[in-house]
Amino acid sequence: MSTKPQAKYLKDYTPPSHHVESIELTFELSPNETLVTARSVWVANSDTATALSLDGVDLDLVELTVDGVAVDSYELNENKLNLSELPTRFRLEIKTKIDPANNTSLEGLYQSAGAFCTQCEAEGFRKITYFLDRPDVLTVYTVKVIASQNIPYLLSNGNKIEEGQLSDGRHFATWHDPYRKPSYLFALVAGDFDVLKDTFKTRSGRDVELALFVDKGNLPKAPHAMNSLKAAMAWDETRFSLEYDLDIYMIVAVDFFNMGAMENKGLNIFNSACVLANQETATDRDYHTIESIVGHEYFHNWTGNRITCRDWFQLSLKEGLTVFRDQEFSSDLGSRGLNRIDAVNAMRMHQFAEDEGPMAHPIRPEKVIEMNNFYTVTVYNKGAEVIRMLHSLLGEDGFQKGMLLYVERHDGQAATCDDFVAAMSDANNVDLSQFKLWYSQHGTTTLKATTTYDEQSRRYSLTLTQRPPKNNASQPPLLIPVAIQLLDRNGNDIALSNASNVANNVLQLSDYEQTFEFENIQNEPVIVLLEDFSSPVKVQFEQCLEDKLHILKFARSDYSRWEAMQQIFTQAVVEAVNSESRDLDSRIVDACKSLLEKPVGDLALLSELLVLPNFETLASQFDTTPVDALVEIIDCFEQQLAEKLKPYWSTVYANLMENHALNAEGVGVRSLQNTSLYYLAKVSDAEIDAWLEKAAVSVNMTTKLGALRAMVGASHSLLEESMTRFDGQWRHDLLVMDKWFAMQAMRRDENAIARLKSLFTHPCFDKSNPNRVRALIGSFARANVRHFHRIDGQGYQILGDLLLELNDINPQNASRMLTPFMSWKRFDGQRAEQMKSQLQRLADLPNLSDDLFEKVEKALAG
């Protein structure tokens, strides 16, 4: 690259030179020549601000006037329009032309299957018109959309105030959003859709119109998303006392979208994969994901829209808080234990790895080159864990008092993370200055624990030591909430009473090392440490297998029971890697057997207990990832569980009645059926083959994919026929075909690489569509460890070739697909060199995008 992109720093933040009183946008839509007219009123923030520098990318400037007079003296370059000698207050009119049809970046205004739609977060508005495209410039938008009659729906933010016909045969709709917002929340959609309509009555008695727009023919797949929206609106009123504020709330589902969804005020634009579902085409996991994402985007109405972030370094202010809120929504409506397991898996699989890699950053980054690269699991998921720690420290009542004060202080403003913590602190009259270190902390802190028990004094001592991460060794001590439970040898809960007579199961570790003492403990207890994953830390604690099995049986937290089983499996794998033995401890097999003998309670949780940890979790136990050994041992342990427990798997599967209900019972049945079938496929006989064949043609997609996954895991003889049948049945539905692509990507046989390459020419595959790319290549790189990490490098070559193409087609998607290469230093020499060489191929590109530049540069230097 001739010039390297320049970094921006949090410390250099300065307020904007001007603010905008109002803006009126008119769009005359055309696939290749959309005309955008922006009329706005600007006011300087100081008497000396006579110049204005506006952001703009890929725009054709047609006309420019200030106070009605054409402007000739301006400076225009690749990404800026610079004006000078401006009055303190002036009206600015800018006309630009843009080309939505050829905008493959999917940022700004683009076309998705013929419909016009926008994506402006983080910096996409500058691809629509020249503006101060930054989150602290808030104004009131009025938007007029003009299009031909064959585009019936013309949508934008806020409430519709006018619509009609023009003399030239076109029609228009005008929308007004009364709430000030930044440019990244602007939205426009125009197209021909099927529409599902409903209403919601708010707690104050207002009727809100709800509308869900989907591609023609997809209306039967829309009710679940609508029901999820209504549930989210009711939940936010009940749990957070937050009511919706406009007259209409709209969701539009489009097939071409870089992310899951976008919370634009009153007009959410969603990836169709996060909206459309019925039991024939979507899995139980899809239903849960849709509920969560619909809730997430709705909750942004207050935590993101009404109160937005001052600058992009504060992104976790809205995202971390809103992820916490959507996690609580799903937990209140469903299984809290399963939702906590999902959240922790995301942390361990992705966030811990990010913390250890070259892109490690705090939840409030201090330096940014390309903002799109900081929509990360650290900002979102670790950000949510930081909010959860606040909730643990303050309790539900204290947290809600803080939320109330936060909204009262900052409604209609662009706020900071410091503003949020200050509201929590002031509302509860507590000093959170040490807690604020979490916002600037990068890397994963390790928590070391040791225990002692004095029989004579009946005192139990727990010493906790926090060790900063290697890449942040000078980190001062954090305030770490450590939730615990003590169990006696009969499995009963022991009431906690420490030496200072404070009874609480959440300990506050505020120094590098502290000892907590508990009195009147009759016998040495078994401790459940970091109950419910009360802090985003790694734990070093030597606990024998019998104690972990005790926790598995008696812990009050479903998450902690699952965590105990994960630790049991993980320790067995680590020991196998370090020895010649491949025999799974009989006590572990017996524990699984006892779970299967009496499958009661939450069957979905039981299913999770019987699944080995994922590859990423196991790999994190080693400085250099032993790829071949882990692949061998995981296969070996699964085979042993299949063989030794075959009668139990068979009995469970045979006794579980087919249940298509979408309630917790139905989901649990299908989950345990699929786990049982996964193991049974490895020891297949005629009866099991019949079960597999029947499940593979089920009308329920969860059951159907469960059978295919079982066949893939066992390289079963029925797999090829089943995959061919699936392809023939579902080619008309691209979202369903994404599931098929993902299954093809995970196949283990020796033809896997050749098959994967051949799928690039499949009529349903499209490299310009992020969903297709994530389904095929994303699944391959993430889940097919055996072939992605082949020692000959062919797996890396496939991803590298794709990234070179995506750099030109869709840099944002390319950046997200790059992630598997970021941890190249954790692998053995040959694999590390092969991954590094793929990164170097990208670095050598003369036109490397800003999105890829930052990550590639850091990966190679890290």
Side-chain angles (χ1 to χ4, degrees), residues 71-323:
V71 176
D72 297 322
S73 57
Y74 58 83
E75 179 187 351
L76 187 63
N77 60 38
E78 188 177 1
N79 53 26
K80 291 287 184 182
L81 170 62
N82 298 315
L83 305 174
S84 58
E85 299 180 8
L86 295 168
T88 303
R89 184 180 186 276
F90 58 94
R91 296 184 64 86
L92 179 65
E93 180 171 324
I94 302 174
K95 290 186 178 181
T96 55
K97 279 187 179 179
I98 53 179
D99 184 1
N102 290 309
N103 181 4
T104 62
S105 71
L106 310 188
E107 294 179 286
L109 178 67
Y110 65 95
Q111 285 193 292
S112 171
F116 292 86
C117 60
T118 57
Q119 171 55 31
C120 293
E121 187 176 2
E123 296 176 334
F125 191 76
R126 65 192 60 190
K127 290 190 171 186
I128 293 173
T129 188
Y130 290 100
F131 199 69
L132 280 182
D133 191 12
R134 46 188 287 173
D136 56 352
V137 177
L138 285 70
T139 192
V140 174
Y141 284 71
T142 302
V143 181
K144 184 175 184 178
V145 187
I146 301 171
S148 60
Q149 295 285 350
N150 65 348
I151 303 178
Y153 293 102
L154 310 177
L155 313 175
S156 192
N157 308 88
N159 299 317
K160 187 190 292 186
I161 59 174
E162 187 181 11
E163 61 183 339
Q165 308 296 317
L166 298 178
S167 59
D168 61 5
R170 295 181 298 170
H171 69 134
F172 74 92
T174 303
W175 296 79
H176 176 70
D177 185 353
Y179 298 99
R180 295 167 67 243
K181 65 174 179 281
S183 56
Y184 83 85
L185 288 173
F186 168 78
L188 179 153
V189 175
D192 190 8
F193 304 98
D194 281 341
V195 188
L196 177 64
K197 293 188 176 181
D198 207 330
T199 59
F200 179 83
K201 186 177 288 294
T202 70
R203 60 178 180 171
S204 65
R206 291 188 307 107
D207 286 321
V208 177
E209 181 183 346
L210 309 178
L212 178 52
F213 298 83
V214 299
D215 285 338
K216 292 287 187 179
N218 281 330
L219 208 56
K221 302 178 187 177
H224 176 65
M226 180 64 80
N227 292 336
S228 298
L229 173 60
K230 294 171 72 174
M233 296 175 83
W235 181 86
D236 216 16
E237 290 185 348
T238 302
R239 178 82 184 264
F240 282 86
S241 300
L242 296 173
E243 181 178 327
Y244 187 61
D245 49 5
L246 292 171
D247 299 332
I248 186 170
Y249 191 95
M250 299 173 286
I251 292 174
V252 182
V254 298
D255 195 38
F256 283 74
F257 204 70
N258 281 329
M259 296 185 255
M262 179 60 205
E263 71 269 16
N264 321 292
K265 181 73 177 178
L267 176 58
N268 291 178
I269 302 175
F270 270 62
N271 189 316
S272 54
C274 301
V275 170
L276 303 176
N278 60 32
Q279 284 193 290
E280 190 178 4
T281 62
T283 65
D284 294 335
R285 169 63 62 178
D286 294 331
Y287 273 86
H288 173 78
T289 299
I290 290 168
E291 176 188 86
S292 174
I293 294 179
V294 168
H296 180 97
E297 305 309 329
Y298 174 76
F299 302 143
H300 265 313
N301 186 62
W302 282 94
T303 52
N305 296 1
R306 286 282 289 260
I307 306 175
T308 193
C309 46
R310 184 196 72 179
D311 54 77
W312 289 122
F313 298 100
Q314 317 292 333
L315 180 60
S316 197
L317 172 73
K318 73 183 185 81
E319 295 300 349
L321 176 56
T322 305
V323 169

Side-chain angles (χ1 to χ4, degrees), residues 14 72 107 112 188 190 287 366 406 455 470 599 610 613 650 674 684 706 804:
T14 56
D72 297 322
E107 294 179 286
S112 171
L188 179 153
Y287 273 86
E366 297 165 358
Y406 173 62
E455 290 188 18
K470 293 178 182 178
L610 294 163
S650 295
N674 283 347
S684 201
L804 262 66

Side-chain angles (χ1 to χ4, degrees), residues 498-723:
N498 62 15
S500 57
N501 296 317
V502 178
N504 194 341
N505 80 308
V506 179
L507 311 177
Q508 295 187 28
L509 176 62
S510 58
D511 207 342
Y512 285 121
E513 183 172 296
Q514 283 175 249
T515 297
F516 301 87
E517 296 187 331
F518 304 91
E519 300 175 331
N520 302 317
I521 307 297
Q522 301 304 310
N523 294 289
E524 184 171 5
V526 174
I527 186 170
V528 180
L529 188 63
L530 209 68
E531 185 182 34
D532 277 335
F533 196 69
S534 58
S535 297
V537 297
K538 294 182 177 180
V539 176
Q540 287 185 348
F541 179 44
E542 293 186 7
Q543 202 166 23
C544 67
L545 176 59
E546 293 302 328
D547 282 357
K548 293 175 183 175
L549 291 171
H550 194 72
I551 294 169
L552 170 65
K553 190 173 182 179
F554 294 113
R556 65 188 165 206
S557 160
D558 286 339
Y559 163 81
S560 294
R561 294 178 59 219
W562 171 82
E563 171 63 14
M565 197 65 183
Q566 289 283 289
Q567 291 180 14
I568 289 168
F569 280 135
T570 298
Q571 186 58 37
V573 170
V574 170
E575 290 174 357
V577 169
N578 295 326
S579 70
E580 297 296 321
S581 174
R582 294 293 183 265
D583 291 330
L584 191 57
D585 192 306
S586 61
R587 292 171 293 179
I588 299 175
V589 177
D590 288 343
C592 294
K593 181 172 70 174
S594 65
L595 291 171
L596 289 168
E597 282 178 325
K598 297 179 180 179
V600 295
D602 188 341
L603 298 185
L605 175 68
L606 175 57
S607 177
E608 291 288 344
L609 293 174
L610 294 163
V611 176
L612 266 66
N614 55 63
F615 177 83
E616 290 85 354
T617 297
L618 296 171
S620 69
Q621 304 298 309
F622 304 90
D623 292 332
T624 300
T625 303
V627 174
D628 298 324
L630 287 178
V631 169
E632 177 199 352
I633 292 164
I634 291 170
D635 285 351
C636 184
F637 282 3
E638 286 183 346
Q639 190 67 34
Q640 289 178 58
L641 289 173
E643 292 173 357
K644 294 179 179 180
L645 299 177
K646 181 179 179 180
Y648 301 93
W649 296 119
S650 295
T651 299
V652 166
Y653 190 84
N655 290 341
L656 286 172
M657 298 297 293
E658 192 169 6
N659 185 335
H660 293 317
L662 278 172
N663 55 24
E665 180 183 353
V667 170
V669 166
R670 288 187 292 276
S671 179
L672 189 54
Q673 280 180 323
N674 283 347
T675 297
S676 300
L677 201 58
Y678 178 82
Y679 284 106
L680 287 169
K682 297 175 181 296
V683 287
S684 201
D685 55 27
E687 182 178 41
I688 295 169
D689 284 357
W691 287 341
L692 285 166
E693 287 186 291
K694 181 181 178 181
V697 296
S698 171
V699 295
N700 183 283
M701 184 56 70
T702 303
T703 300
K704 184 191 296 283
L705 282 184
L708 291 181
R709 179 175 174 271
M711 293 179 195
V712 168
S715 295
H716 199 280
S717 59
L718 294 173
L719 177 59
E720 193 63 46
E721 177 187 350
S722 299
M723 293 295 282

Side-chain angles (χ1 to χ4, degrees), residues 681-800:
K682 297 175 181 296
V683 287
S684 201
D685 55 27
E687 182 178 41
I688 295 169
D689 284 357
W691 287 341
L692 285 166
E693 287 186 291
K694 181 181 178 181
V697 296
S698 171
V699 295
N700 183 283
M701 184 56 70
T702 303
T703 300
K704 184 191 296 283
L705 282 184
L708 291 181
R709 179 175 174 271
M711 293 179 195
V712 168
S715 295
H716 199 280
S717 59
L718 294 173
L719 177 59
E720 193 63 46
E721 177 187 350
S722 299
M723 293 295 282
T724 300
R725 180 172 57 239
F726 191 107
D727 182 19
Q729 181 182 1
W730 289 107
R731 281 199 182 190
H732 66 281
D733 192 319
L734 291 176
L735 291 181
V736 177
M737 286 303 292
D738 284 342
K739 304 178 192 305
W740 182 82
F741 282 127
M743 284 294 170
Q744 291 282 33
M746 291 185 282
R747 292 180 66 171
R748 304 179 177 189
D749 60 273
E750 289 307 310
N751 294 325
I753 294 292
R755 182 185 301 108
L756 192 74
K757 291 179 179 178
S758 72
L759 290 174
F760 288 157
T761 60
H762 190 282
C764 292
F765 188 73
D766 180 356
K767 289 181 182 177
S768 68
N769 187 293
N771 286 348
R772 308 295 95 77
V773 171
R774 286 190 287 257
L776 184 61
I777 306 304
S779 297
F780 172 69
R782 183 184 67 256
N784 196 335
V785 177
R786 183 188 306 271
H787 287 292
F788 179 67
H789 291 293
R790 284 169 63 120
I791 197 66
D792 61 11
Q794 288 191 58
Y796 305 146
Q797 184 76 30
I798 287 176
L799 179 58

